[in-house]
Structure formats: structure tokens, C-alpha cells
Amino acid sequence: RKEVEQDPGPFNVPEGATVAFNCTYSNSASQSFFWYRQDCRKEPKLLMSVYSSGNEDGRFTAQLNRASQYISLLIRDSKLSDSATYLCVVPYNTDKLIFGTGTRLQVFP
Amino acid sequence: DAGVTQSPTHLIKTRGQQVTLRCSPKSGHDTVSWYQQALGQGPQFIFQYYEEEERQRGNFPDRFSGHQFPNYSSELNVNALLLGDSALYLCASRPPGGSPYEQYFGPGTRLTVT
């Protein structure tokens, strides 16, 4: 089993839609989790961190299910500017980040 | 305040050649990590440098080596290039005692091996 697994997509959704991505991880000892956003041919940038059951920031909600070892990212009221690849990240330790393959989102008008 | 910078932005090399990529961390950051991101994949950890020493290493062969200088900047060297080394190479830095979410990525160097 891969350390971090994501559905690669792409997810094609209309503006205003709600979309959710899931990510599963194998290390049950992991305590913190992150979602990064990566625009085409750009570097990854931190979107949200999740330390307990969940985190909400505007239209974005990240949830953690430790029993099932998965993290989800929910985007409400999708905007064209949300089109990007969303990377699920589980730190192996303080510095080594384990990335999923990313889920590509395309929002269309 | 400049963020993480990397040079060059793009590079084309031939199989068998050697390449050196450079990274300057964000001001105040002392730890530098390198990642390789192949097309359609997530970044993979290569190694990390702190106090001019390699502190951690991912599953990469010895052809990949690095260095950190007293000013915290870093180099990634790849010898005997293979076609499969074509990727975006990302450098990330974090401040002293920082948490994982405090890693900042540079724009990357896109290496193409022909």
C-alpha cells in the first residue's frame, strides 16, 4: 500500500459546484496532515493543515478520519480560480513530507 | 523579503551528463530539502541539509548528492543523468525549529534529459 493515495482525477465541475477529494494514508501514527495546492508548472503552496478532526477556511473544509485513515478536502461554491492540482501531504517527520500524486480539479464556466 | 529562489529555471541535458541545481532559502531559514516531481506525480523527497550536513535521505541512488554552504544555500548534483531524471526539482526551506507546515517551496528547476 502506498504511503499516501489520492484519486488523480481529473474532476471537471461547473462553477458553483461542491467537490470533495479523498486521500488515504498508511502510517497510523501520523499526527498532522496538509493539503497543498499546485498550479500548472508552479510550486506547491500550503492550502490547509489538519491536526484534529477537521479545519475550515472559508469555502474550504478539511476533515480527518483517523479510524479509517483518510483525509478529505471539500470545496464549496467552486470558482474558476480553484482549478489546480490538490496534493495530500502527510509528514513522515518534521521535515520529510510524503505527497500523494495529486488530484486535478478543472472548474468550467 | 525574498522567498526561496532556485536557478536555473530550465535546463536541458544529455544522458550521461552531470548537472548542478542551486537553491537559496528564504531569509532566516536554515534547513533545506530537495524534492523531485516527475510529470503527473507528487513531489518525492530526495534529501535534507542542515548545518551543512545531509540529515535525511529518501530512496534515491548515490548519483544524487548535495551540499549546503555556510550561508544556508544548497546545491543538488546529479551524475550520469538518465532519461528518467527529467522532472521538476523543488527546493524547500524552513526556519530553525519550524514545523512541517512552515516549509516554503521555491519555483523549481525543470530538468529535461534527452
Side-chain angles (χ1 to χ4, degrees):
Chain A
R1 181 182 178 182
K2 283 187 177 179
E3 292 175 281
V4 181
E5 288 196 78
Q6 294 182 252
D7 180 343
F11 284 62
N12 296 304
V13 302
E15 275 185 293
T18 295
V19 62
F21 310 134
N22 286 333
C23 166
T24 58
Y25 61 94
S26 61
N27 184 2
S28 60
S30 297
Q31 296 295 312
S32 57
F33 309 88
F34 306 100
W35 283 100
Y36 274 71
R37 171 191 169 129
Q38 186 172 28
D39 292 295
C40 187
R41 305 181 79 83
K42 299 283 189 180
E43 72 272 26
K45 292 185 179 177
L46 180 65
L47 177 67
M48 295 186 75
S49 56
V50 188
Y51 292 98
S52 55
S53 59
N55 190 10
E56 185 172 328
D57 183 6
R59 298 182 294 109
F60 297 82
T61 300
Q63 291 195 314
L64 168 64
N65 184 318
R66 288 189 189 275
S68 301
Q69 293 181 217
Y70 79 79
I71 316 131
S72 64
L73 177 67
L74 182 78
I75 305 176
R76 290 181 295 275
D77 188 23
S78 298
K79 312 289 184 191
L80 294 176
S81 58
D82 293 334
S83 297
T85 295
Y86 292 83
L87 296 158
C88 176
V89 182
V90 180
Y92 178 80
N93 51 37
T94 304
D95 294 287
K96 180 180 176 181
L97 303 178
I98 307 297
F99 286 80
T101 55
T103 298
R104 193 153 63 89
L105 171 66
Q106 183 66 50
V107 182
F108 58 87
Chain B
D1 176 23
V4 180
T5 59
Q6 293 186 242
S7 63
T9 53
H10 296 87
L11 201 53
I12 299 176
K13 289 286 189 177
T14 304
R15 273 181 301 176
Q17 287 187 316
Q18 178 265 343
V19 69
T20 297
L21 310 182
R22 296 174 177 81
C23 169
S24 291
K26 188 175 168 65
S27 178
H29 289 195
D30 62 353
T31 302
V32 173
S33 300
W34 287 92
Y35 290 80
Q36 178 197 66
Q37 186 175 22
L39 196 62
Q41 302 296 315
Q44 288 194 58
F45 178 80
I46 302 174
F47 44 50
Q48 178 201 76
Y49 277 84
Y50 172 70
E51 292 189 339
E52 302 180 49
E53 290 194 358
E54 183 183 293
R55 189 161 70 171
Q56 287 193 77
R57 190 178 183 91
N59 294 325
F60 280 81
D62 292 344
R63 296 186 298 109
F64 289 77
S65 63
H67 190 76
Q68 186 178 35
F69 299 94
N71 66 353
Y72 308 121
S73 66
S74 177
E75 287 181 349
L76 164 65
N77 301 293
V78 187
N79 294 323
L81 284 167
L82 304 173
L83 294 179
D85 295 331
S86 295
L88 178 67
Y89 288 84
L90 295 159
C91 170
S93 72
R94 72 163 178 81
S99 301
Y101 65 83
E102 292 185 89
Q103 289 208 53
Y104 294 84
F105 283 85
T109 292
R110 190 163 298 278
L111 172 66
T112 302
V113 182
T114 63

